[in-house]
Amino acid sequence: MYTAIIIVTTLLLAVYAVLILQYRSWFLRLRPFEPAPVPGAPTRFSIIIPARNEEGQIGNCLASIFGQSYPGTHFEVIIVNDHSTDRTEAVVKAWQAQHANLCLINMADHVEPNALNSYKKKALELAIATSSGEWVVTTDADCQAKPGWLSLLDAYIRQYQPVFVAAPVMFTTKGNFLDTFQLLDFISLQGITAAAVSAGFHTMCNGANLAYRKDVFYAVDGFKGIDGLASGDDMFLMHKIKQLYPNRMGYLFAQGAIMATAPMADWRSFINQRIRWASKADAYQDRGIFRTLALVYALNACLFLWLVGSLFFTGGWVPWLIFIAIKTLVELSFMIPVSKFYGHLPAMYWFLPMQPFHIAYTVVAGWLGKFGSYQWKGRKVQ
């Protein structure tokens, strides 16, 4: 059994190394977006922010949005208060007194507190139905945008005429172990997202920094067919739009467009977040994504079993460490250029020491995402 694990791990690592080096090649081909003068009126945006118990974060989010260099006459902000039990509603109303283009929707007026499995999709649907912009922009209540965010998005839309635009997201960090662990994990996800776009595949995106035409949302029947899934308001919608408009998908690769968001505050929240992400893995219609996720999980599961087996077989530690070294070097060749783009190169010093923790977390989160349940925003989700 132990020998079989070593053989399988060797084969998986070889395939994985080729894949990561391919991602590196794709990422290095990307060039940051440079706006070009395009005649015409600025795009009108409807920025939609679902919020549940975000009184401590939403003020900073709104400050970053209303601090945009973009004309306030060409965007509106719609907050959907998802049954918050804190002062989220009061904070938003205080901002409403200062900004006429800020709208508040209370989900409690439309949906009972325990009636759905995906409240975020319902929040987006409610907001889109009342929106006046030609483009819908989604972000989260704990995010903060750079001042030129909307201007870059407008320039990209007018220059390339897409119907869907994904853009980069990155965690902030206080430098502690948990923040750094999440940062490294998220850098890899964002790097793969960008690399896949460079290769011509739109396989991943993040709802914290997403834009799509309102008419296109309705052209693909919105979240119909995916509204029963607790997660996936971003990627599953992207795949629906991609099927109808395969040549009009965009990715705004620009440092000024990076949306900053805070990592999870504790390990429990972090694991629940990753279980939520992992829970949608087998629902992807794009089998390429599923195969990649399966490869990553299988490799980490084998390394984990090998590590456990090393406790009972003399000398098992040495080859395991060699494999970890090879895996780390291959991943760093990809992670270093990605972390440079996001301004987090110093975090790479922690990459090797965190490998054992990352292997264990991948195995646990992947397993529970398939067979377990999780708590999210105070709700238990199956």
Side-chain angles (χ1 to χ4, degrees):
M1 177 66 177
Y2 184 57
T3 302
I5 290 174
I6 295 176
I7 293 172
V8 172
T9 306
T10 302
L11 295 174
L12 290 172
L13 182 59
V15 176
Y16 178 76
V18 170
L19 178 64
I20 295 300
L21 291 174
Q22 183 63 74
Y23 277 134
R24 178 182 185 273
S25 173
W26 289 335
F27 186 85
L28 291 176
R29 290 194 325 211
L30 284 170
R31 293 295 177 265
F33 170 67
E34 293 290 342
V38 178
T43 308
R44 177 157 179 81
F45 295 113
S46 292
I47 303 168
I48 300 175
I49 308 173
R52 177 173 168 82
N53 295 335
E54 296 284 1
E55 64 172 322
Q57 304 281 355
I58 198 164
N60 291 331
C61 176
L62 290 172
S64 74
I65 291 175
F66 287 113
Q68 291 292 301
S69 57
Y70 203 67
T73 54
H74 282 76
F75 73 89
E76 64 178 351
V77 181
I78 305 174
I79 305 293
V80 187
N81 177 29
D82 180 6
H83 302 90
S84 295
T85 56
D86 64 0
R87 296 185 64 257
T88 295
E89 182 179 356
V91 173
V92 175
K93 285 184 174 179
W95 278 87
Q96 270 189 301
Q98 306 171 46
H99 299 278
N101 55 339
L102 174 58
C103 173
L104 173 65
I105 298 175
N106 281 308
M107 280 193 72
D109 297 334
H110 303 270
V111 183
E112 292 297 321
N114 298 303
L116 301 173
N117 198 45
S118 178
Y119 282 85
K120 187 173 182 181
K121 294 189 186 75
K122 186 61 178 179
L124 292 170
E125 285 178 346
L126 288 171
I128 293 171
T130 65
S131 64
S132 61
E134 56 187 311
W135 273 79
V136 171
V137 180
T138 68
T139 189
D140 294 332
D142 58 355
C143 291
Q144 295 185 48
K146 295 183 179 181
W149 171 56
L150 284 180
S151 295
L152 281 168
L153 184 56
D154 168 67
Y156 185 90
I157 289 169
R158 291 203 280 159
Q159 194 164 325
Y160 293 110
Q161 298 296 308
V163 299
F164 178 98
V165 181
V169 181
M170 188 44 57
F171 284 150
T172 58
T173 177
K174 297 176 182 175
N176 58 45
F177 184 90
L178 177 58
D179 281 10
T180 305
F181 185 86
Q182 294 179 74
L183 178 69
L184 291 174
D185 183 58
F186 202 65
I187 286 174
S188 67
L189 293 174
Q190 286 292 297
I192 289 171
T193 299
V197 170
S198 173
F201 311 112
H202 281 260
T203 55
M204 295 199 298
C205 61
N206 192 300
N209 201 359
L210 211 58
Y212 41 87
R213 271 183 18 195
K214 180 179 176 178
D215 61 336
V216 167
F217 176 79
Y218 287 114
V220 300
D221 288 327
F223 298 118
K224 184 178 179 181
I226 57 173
D227 46 3
L229 300 168
S231 185
D233 55 278
D234 42 18
M235 289 176 60
F236 291 132
L237 178 63
M238 179 188 74
H239 293 155
K240 291 183 71 175
I241 295 175
K242 182 181 175 182
Q243 287 182 340
L244 201 58
Y245 302 93
N247 300 316
R248 300 187 66 183
M249 310 292 288
Y251 183 77
L252 178 51
F253 187 68
Q255 290 179 325
I258 298 173
M259 183 67 71
T261 186
M264 295 295 101
D266 53 66
W267 283 102
R268 182 183 179 87
S269 300
F270 166 62
I271 293 297
N272 272 293
Q273 182 190 57
R274 294 312 199 266
I275 292 173
R276 181 171 64 96
W277 291 357
S279 66
K280 59 190 177 186
D282 56 0
Y284 292 126
Q285 293 184 356
D286 187 335
R287 293 292 91 185
I289 299 177
F290 180 78
R291 286 192 291 269
T292 299
L293 293 174
L295 170 64
V296 172
Y297 186 82
L299 175 60
N300 281 280
C302 285
L303 287 170
F304 182 78
L305 292 173
W306 186 345
L307 178 61
V308 173
S310 297
L311 301 175
F312 305 98
F313 293 89
T314 304
W317 280 93
V318 175
W320 185 84
L321 288 173
I322 292 173
F323 269 62
I324 290 297
I326 295 171
K327 178 176 180 287
T328 300
L329 289 173
V330 169
E331 290 173 339
L332 278 175
S333 71
F334 171 64
M335 292 285 285
I336 286 175
V338 177
S339 63
K340 284 181 179 178
F341 172 77
Y342 284 103
H344 285 299
L345 186 58
M348 291 302 106
Y349 290 110
W350 288 96
F351 195 75
L352 177 58
M354 289 190 177
Q355 280 280 3
F357 299 96
H358 191 268
I359 290 169
Y361 130 76
T362 301
V363 173
V364 172
W367 180 267
L368 293 178
K370 175 63 178 176
F371 300 106
S373 61
Y374 59 91
Q375 293 280 340
W376 189 249
K377 299 287 185 178
R379 295 182 176 120
K380 185 176 181 180
V381 183
Q382 292 295 131

